[in-house]
PDB file of all heavy atoms in Angstrom:
ATOM      1  N   TYR M 956      -4.277  -6.093   1.249  1.00 98.00           N
ATOM      2  CA  TYR M 956      -5.031  -4.874   1.477  1.00 98.00           C
ATOM      3  C   TYR M 956      -6.301  -4.901   0.628  1.00 98.00           C
ATOM      4  O   TYR M 956      -6.329  -5.502  -0.438  1.00 98.00           O
ATOM      5  CB  TYR M 956      -4.221  -3.632   1.066  1.00 98.00           C
ATOM      6  CG  TYR M 956      -2.972  -3.394   1.872  1.00 98.00           C
ATOM      7  CD1 TYR M 956      -1.798  -4.068   1.567  1.00 98.00           C
ATOM      8  CD2 TYR M 956      -2.964  -2.503   2.932  1.00 98.00           C
ATOM      9  CE1 TYR M 956      -0.637  -3.853   2.308  1.00 98.00           C
ATOM     10  CE2 TYR M 956      -1.809  -2.277   3.666  1.00 98.00           C
ATOM     11  CZ  TYR M 956      -0.649  -2.962   3.347  1.00 98.00           C
ATOM     12  OH  TYR M 956       0.484  -2.750   4.080  1.00 98.00           O
ATOM     13  N   GLN M 957      -7.302  -4.190   1.116  1.00 98.00           N
ATOM     14  CA  GLN M 957      -8.550  -3.993   0.380  1.00 98.00           C
ATOM     15  C   GLN M 957      -8.662  -2.507   0.038  1.00 98.00           C
ATOM     16  O   GLN M 957      -8.373  -1.657   0.878  1.00 98.00           O
ATOM     17  CB  GLN M 957      -9.734  -4.388   1.269  1.00 98.00           C
ATOM     18  CG  GLN M 957     -11.102  -4.145   0.659  1.00 98.00           C
ATOM     19  CD  GLN M 957     -12.195  -4.250   1.730  1.00 98.00           C
ATOM     20  OE1 GLN M 957     -12.265  -3.443   2.647  1.00 98.00           O
ATOM     21  NE2 GLN M 957     -13.043  -5.265   1.612  1.00 98.00           N
ATOM     22  N   GLN M 958      -9.097  -2.221  -1.184  1.00 98.00           N
ATOM     23  CA  GLN M 958      -9.327  -0.827  -1.558  1.00 98.00           C
ATOM     24  C   GLN M 958     -10.656  -0.698  -2.281  1.00 98.00           C
ATOM     25  O   GLN M 958     -10.907  -1.379  -3.269  1.00 98.00           O
ATOM     26  CB  GLN M 958      -8.206  -0.292  -2.452  1.00 98.00           C
ATOM     27  CG  GLN M 958      -8.339   1.209  -2.709  1.00 98.00           C
ATOM     28  CD  GLN M 958      -7.239   1.765  -3.587  1.00 98.00           C
ATOM     29  OE1 GLN M 958      -6.728   1.087  -4.470  1.00 98.00           O
ATOM     30  NE2 GLN M 958      -6.863   3.021  -3.346  1.00 98.00           N
ATOM     31  N   LYS M 959     -11.481   0.193  -1.764  1.00 97.00           N
ATOM     32  CA  LYS M 959     -12.758   0.498  -2.393  1.00 97.00           C
ATOM     33  C   LYS M 959     -12.624   1.773  -3.204  1.00 97.00           C
ATOM     34  O   LYS M 959     -11.743   2.594  -2.924  1.00 97.00           O
ATOM     35  CB  LYS M 959     -13.847   0.627  -1.328  1.00 97.00           C
ATOM     36  CG  LYS M 959     -14.066  -0.669  -0.559  1.00 97.00           C
ATOM     37  CD  LYS M 959     -15.129  -0.516   0.510  1.00 97.00           C
ATOM     38  CE  LYS M 959     -15.289  -1.806   1.281  1.00 97.00           C
ATOM     39  NZ  LYS M 959     -16.305  -1.691   2.352  1.00 97.00           N
ATOM     40  N   PRO M 960     -13.495   1.962  -4.203  1.00 94.00           N
ATOM     41  CA  PRO M 960     -13.366   3.156  -5.064  1.00 94.00           C
ATOM     42  C   PRO M 960     -13.362   4.454  -4.262  1.00 94.00           C
ATOM     43  O   PRO M 960     -14.192   4.645  -3.370  1.00 94.00           O
ATOM     44  CB  PRO M 960     -14.609   3.053  -5.958  1.00 94.00           C
ATOM     45  CG  PRO M 960     -14.931   1.606  -6.005  1.00 94.00           C
ATOM     46  CD  PRO M 960     -14.581   1.068  -4.644  1.00 94.00           C
ATOM     47  N   GLY M 961     -12.398   5.299  -4.573  1.00 94.00           N
ATOM     48  CA  GLY M 961     -12.317   6.601  -3.930  1.00 94.00           C
ATOM     49  C   GLY M 961     -11.802   6.573  -2.509  1.00 94.00           C
ATOM     50  O   GLY M 961     -11.799   7.615  -1.833  1.00 94.00           O
ATOM     51  N   GLN M 962     -11.369   5.416  -2.046  1.00 96.00           N
ATOM     52  CA  GLN M 962     -10.873   5.295  -0.676  1.00 96.00           C
ATOM     53  C   GLN M 962      -9.416   4.852  -0.667  1.00 96.00           C
ATOM     54  O   GLN M 962      -8.902   4.292  -1.630  1.00 96.00           O
ATOM     55  CB  GLN M 962     -11.715   4.290   0.116  1.00 96.00           C
ATOM     56  CG  GLN M 962     -13.157   4.696   0.302  1.00 96.00           C
ATOM     57  CD  GLN M 962     -13.906   3.721   1.200  1.00 96.00           C
ATOM     58  OE1 GLN M 962     -13.310   2.932   1.937  1.00 96.00           O
ATOM     59  NE2 GLN M 962     -15.232   3.777   1.156  1.00 96.00           N
ATOM     60  N   ALA M 963      -8.776   5.100   0.476  1.00 97.00           N
ATOM     61  CA  ALA M 963      -7.434   4.591   0.683  1.00 97.00           C
ATOM     62  C   ALA M 963      -7.487   3.088   0.958  1.00 97.00           C
ATOM     63  O   ALA M 963      -8.528   2.556   1.363  1.00 97.00           O
ATOM     64  CB  ALA M 963      -6.786   5.314   1.864  1.00 97.00           C
ATOM     65  N   PRO M 964      -6.390   2.405   0.736  1.00 98.00           N
ATOM     66  CA  PRO M 964      -6.354   0.974   1.063  1.00 98.00           C
ATOM     67  C   PRO M 964      -6.526   0.726   2.553  1.00 98.00           C
ATOM     68  O   PRO M 964      -6.267   1.606   3.380  1.00 98.00           O
ATOM     69  CB  PRO M 964      -4.961   0.541   0.591  1.00 98.00           C
ATOM     70  CG  PRO M 964      -4.559   1.560  -0.417  1.00 98.00           C
ATOM     71  CD  PRO M 964      -5.164   2.846   0.069  1.00 98.00           C
ATOM     72  N   ARG M 965      -6.932  -0.501   2.886  1.00 98.00           N
ATOM     73  CA  ARG M 965      -7.074  -0.923   4.280  1.00 98.00           C
ATOM     74  C   ARG M 965      -6.345  -2.237   4.465  1.00 98.00           C
ATOM     75  O   ARG M 965      -6.518  -3.166   3.661  1.00 98.00           O
ATOM     76  CB  ARG M 965      -8.564  -1.084   4.635  1.00 98.00           C
ATOM     77  CG  ARG M 965      -8.811  -1.595   6.047  1.00 98.00           C
ATOM     78  CD  ARG M 965     -10.269  -1.606   6.413  1.00 98.00           C
ATOM     79  NE  ARG M 965     -11.055  -2.624   5.738  1.00 98.00           N
ATOM     80  CZ  ARG M 965     -12.076  -3.269   6.298  1.00 98.00           C
ATOM     81  NH1 ARG M 965     -12.397  -3.035   7.557  1.00 98.00           N
ATOM     82  NH2 ARG M 965     -12.771  -4.145   5.613  1.00 98.00           N
ATOM     83  N   LEU M 966      -5.557  -2.327   5.522  1.00 98.00           N
ATOM     84  CA  LEU M 966      -4.823  -3.557   5.803  1.00 98.00           C
ATOM     85  C   LEU M 966      -5.785  -4.650   6.262  1.00 98.00           C
ATOM     86  O   LEU M 966      -6.565  -4.438   7.206  1.00 98.00           O
ATOM     87  CB  LEU M 966      -3.767  -3.291   6.873  1.00 98.00           C
ATOM     88  CG  LEU M 966      -2.940  -4.478   7.351  1.00 98.00           C
ATOM     89  CD1 LEU M 966      -2.084  -5.042   6.209  1.00 98.00           C
ATOM     90  CD2 LEU M 966      -2.058  -4.079   8.536  1.00 98.00           C
ATOM     91  N   LEU M 967      -5.728  -5.809   5.608  1.00 98.00           N
ATOM     92  CA  LEU M 967      -6.567  -6.947   5.973  1.00 98.00           C
ATOM     93  C   LEU M 967      -5.774  -8.027   6.709  1.00 98.00           C
ATOM     94  O   LEU M 967      -6.173  -8.514   7.759  1.00 98.00           O
ATOM     95  CB  LEU M 967      -7.157  -7.588   4.718  1.00 98.00           C
ATOM     96  CG  LEU M 967      -8.136  -6.817   3.866  1.00 98.00           C
ATOM     97  CD1 LEU M 967      -8.508  -7.661   2.651  1.00 98.00           C
ATOM     98  CD2 LEU M 967      -9.365  -6.433   4.662  1.00 98.00           C
ATOM     99  N   ILE M 968      -4.671  -8.439   6.094  1.00 98.00           N
ATOM    100  CA  ILE M 968      -3.899  -9.608   6.512  1.00 98.00           C
ATOM    101  C   ILE M 968      -2.419  -9.237   6.528  1.00 98.00           C
ATOM    102  O   ILE M 968      -1.935  -8.562   5.612  1.00 98.00           O
ATOM    103  CB  ILE M 968      -4.098 -10.786   5.544  1.00 98.00           C
ATOM    104  CG1 ILE M 968      -5.562 -11.212   5.468  1.00 98.00           C
ATOM    105  CG2 ILE M 968      -3.186 -11.970   5.915  1.00 98.00           C
ATOM    106  CD1 ILE M 968      -6.073 -11.978   6.664  1.00 98.00           C
ATOM    107  N   TYR M 969      -1.696  -9.683   7.549  1.00 96.00           N
ATOM    108  CA  TYR M 969      -0.248  -9.537   7.583  1.00 96.00           C
ATOM    109  C   TYR M 969       0.359 -10.870   7.987  1.00 96.00           C
ATOM    110  O   TYR M 969      -0.332 -11.740   8.543  1.00 96.00           O
ATOM    111  CB  TYR M 969       0.181  -8.412   8.534  1.00 96.00           C
ATOM    112  CG  TYR M 969      -0.176  -8.665   9.981  1.00 96.00           C
ATOM    113  CD1 TYR M 969       0.731  -9.267  10.843  1.00 96.00           C
ATOM    114  CD2 TYR M 969      -1.426  -8.316  10.476  1.00 96.00           C
ATOM    115  CE1 TYR M 969       0.411  -9.526  12.163  1.00 96.00           C
ATOM    116  CE2 TYR M 969      -1.764  -8.569  11.789  1.00 96.00           C
ATOM    117  CZ  TYR M 969      -0.845  -9.171  12.641  1.00 96.00           C
ATOM    118  OH  TYR M 969      -1.172  -9.425  13.942  1.00 96.00           O
ATOM    119  N   GLY M 970       1.633 -11.027   7.700  1.00 94.00           N
ATOM    120  CA  GLY M 970       2.278 -12.302   8.001  1.00 94.00           C
ATOM    121  C   GLY M 970       1.599 -13.470   7.315  1.00 94.00           C
ATOM    122  O   GLY M 970       1.574 -14.583   7.841  1.00 94.00           O
ATOM    123  N   ALA M 971       1.039 -13.216   6.160  1.00 95.00           N
ATOM    124  CA  ALA M 971       0.366 -14.192   5.300  1.00 95.00           C
ATOM    125  C   ALA M 971      -0.971 -14.683   5.834  1.00 95.00           C
ATOM    126  O   ALA M 971      -1.877 -14.999   5.048  1.00 95.00           O
ATOM    127  CB  ALA M 971       1.267 -15.393   5.009  1.00 95.00           C
ATOM    128  N   SER M 972      -1.137 -14.739   7.170  1.00 96.00           N
ATOM    129  CA  SER M 972      -2.344 -15.380   7.699  1.00 96.00           C
ATOM    130  C   SER M 972      -2.955 -14.700   8.919  1.00 96.00           C
ATOM    131  O   SER M 972      -3.923 -15.219   9.482  1.00 96.00           O
ATOM    132  CB  SER M 972      -2.033 -16.843   8.050  1.00 96.00           C
ATOM    133  OG  SER M 972      -1.025 -16.902   9.037  1.00 96.00           O
ATOM    134  N   ASN M 973      -2.412 -13.581   9.337  1.00 96.00           N
ATOM    135  CA  ASN M 973      -2.908 -12.902  10.534  1.00 96.00           C
ATOM    136  C   ASN M 973      -3.846 -11.759  10.163  1.00 96.00           C
ATOM    137  O   ASN M 973      -3.462 -10.864   9.401  1.00 96.00           O
ATOM    138  CB  ASN M 973      -1.735 -12.337  11.342  1.00 96.00           C
ATOM    139  CG  ASN M 973      -0.761 -13.416  11.750  1.00 96.00           C
ATOM    140  OD1 ASN M 973      -1.039 -14.237  12.604  1.00 96.00           O
ATOM    141  ND2 ASN M 973       0.409 -13.426  11.115  1.00 96.00           N
ATOM    142  N   ARG M 974      -5.057 -11.792  10.706  1.00 97.00           N
ATOM    143  CA  ARG M 974      -5.983 -10.709  10.408  1.00 97.00           C
ATOM    144  C   ARG M 974      -5.607  -9.450  11.190  1.00 97.00           C
ATOM    145  O   ARG M 974      -5.264  -9.502  12.367  1.00 97.00           O
ATOM    146  CB  ARG M 974      -7.420 -11.122  10.767  1.00 97.00           C
ATOM    147  CG  ARG M 974      -8.101 -11.950   9.696  1.00 97.00           C
ATOM    148  CD  ARG M 974      -9.558 -12.191  10.053  1.00 97.00           C
ATOM    149  NE  ARG M 974      -9.676 -12.953  11.295  1.00 97.00           N
ATOM    150  CZ  ARG M 974      -9.602 -14.269  11.384  1.00 97.00           C
ATOM    151  NH1 ARG M 974      -9.411 -14.972  10.278  1.00 97.00           N
ATOM    152  NH2 ARG M 974      -9.730 -14.875  12.540  1.00 97.00           N
ATOM    153  N   ALA M 975      -5.708  -8.321  10.498  1.00 96.00           N
ATOM    154  CA  ALA M 975      -5.464  -7.044  11.161  1.00 96.00           C
ATOM    155  C   ALA M 975      -6.632  -6.720  12.094  1.00 96.00           C
ATOM    156  O   ALA M 975      -7.688  -7.349  12.031  1.00 96.00           O
ATOM    157  CB  ALA M 975      -5.283  -5.944  10.119  1.00 96.00           C
ATOM    158  N   THR M 976      -6.431  -5.748  12.929  1.00 95.00           N
ATOM    159  CA  THR M 976      -7.441  -5.351  13.902  1.00 95.00           C
ATOM    160  C   THR M 976      -8.754  -5.001  13.227  1.00 95.00           C
ATOM    161  O   THR M 976      -8.782  -4.221  12.263  1.00 95.00           O
ATOM    162  CB  THR M 976      -6.944  -4.137  14.711  1.00 95.00           C
ATOM    163  OG1 THR M 976      -5.714  -4.463  15.360  1.00 95.00           O
ATOM    164  CG2 THR M 976      -7.969  -3.729  15.748  1.00 95.00           C
ATOM    165  N   GLY M 977      -9.842  -5.619  13.710  1.00 96.00           N
ATOM    166  CA  GLY M 977     -11.165  -5.280  13.221  1.00 96.00           C
ATOM    167  C   GLY M 977     -11.586  -5.978  11.950  1.00 96.00           C
ATOM    168  O   GLY M 977     -12.681  -5.728  11.437  1.00 96.00           O
TER     169      GLY M 977
END
Side-chain angles (χ1 to χ4, degrees):
Chain M
Y956 296 82
Q957 176 194 66
Q958 187 180 32
K959 297 179 182 179
Q962 296 185 17
R965 177 174 71 145
L966 177 64
L967 295 177
I968 300 285
Y969 64 93
S972 61
N973 302 288
R974 278 186 298 276
T976 302

